[in-house]
């Protein structure tokens, strides 16, 4: 619990009802995201990923197959492509931006999904 991470690298930014949130904005590609997820091995994870679309093909299916993801929330330009590739494996939703995604998370928590 003392680990805070470096700025934008697994930086704990808050919690909602005991669920911690980390900013890993330095993960600018799927391999960096996968490395960050290794820190949370054995924990249920809600991954928020996306942003600017840099490629028409992400090839995430095999990359994330062994991760213990509970939800995949995608945002930005890459949102639909992320859901297309990961939606068959995990529950997920797409949102226009991070603010909209966080509003959903707060509502989801209140509704006790």
């Amino acid at each position: 619990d003392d680990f805070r991470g470096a700025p934008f690298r697994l930086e704990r930014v808050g919690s909602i009802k005991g669920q911690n949130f980390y900013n890993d904005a330095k993960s600018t590609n799927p391999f960096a995201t996968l490395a960050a997820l290794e820190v949370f091995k054995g924990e249920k994870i809600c991954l928020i990923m996306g942003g600017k679309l840099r490629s028409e093909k992400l090839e995430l299916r095999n990359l994330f197959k062994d991760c213990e993801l509970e939800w995949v929330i995608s945002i930005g330009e890459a949102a639909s492509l992320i859901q297309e590739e990961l939606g068959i494996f995990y529950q997920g939703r797409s949102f226009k931006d991070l603010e909209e995604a966080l509003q959903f998370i707060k509502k989801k928590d209140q509704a006790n999904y």
Side-chain angles (χ1 to χ4, degrees):
D1 281 282
D2 291 337
F3 176 72
R4 294 177 191 204
F8 308 112
R9 174 59 74 198
L10 293 176
E11 175 185 18
R12 186 174 178 275
V13 293
S15 68
I16 298 174
K17 293 193 177 184
Q19 185 174 19
N20 294 319
F21 288 82
Y22 295 85
N23 177 4
D24 196 49
K26 291 284 187 180
S27 287
T28 58
N29 65 67
F31 296 103
T33 302
L34 185 62
L37 291 173
E38 286 292 317
V39 172
F40 301 104
K41 204 161 198 88
E43 296 180 38
K44 292 181 179 178
I45 299 168
C46 173
L47 177 64
I48 302 171
M49 68 183 297
K52 191 169 185 157
L53 188 58
R54 296 180 183 171
S55 169
E56 293 298 318
K57 193 169 184 182
L58 295 175
E59 299 183 19
L60 300 175
R61 288 182 183 142
N62 290 328
L63 190 62
F64 289 97
K65 69 179 183 209
D66 295 326
C67 294
E68 298 173 45
L69 301 176
E70 190 169 302
W71 273 79
V72 175
I73 293 177
S74 54
I75 59 174
E77 287 179 16
S80 61
L81 185 58
I82 291 167
Q83 288 303 320
E84 182 181 308
E85 292 201 21
L86 295 178
I88 62 171
F89 298 106
Y90 310 106
Q91 286 188 325
R93 301 261 321 249
S94 296
F95 297 96
K96 145 182 103 164
D97 55 31
L98 183 59
E99 183 178 325
E100 193 176 276
L102 292 175
Q103 287 175 1
F104 167 77
I105 291 168
K106 288 177 186 175
K107 287 179 186 175
K108 177 183 171 297
D109 185 59
Q110 290 168 357
N112 235 356
Y113 280 79

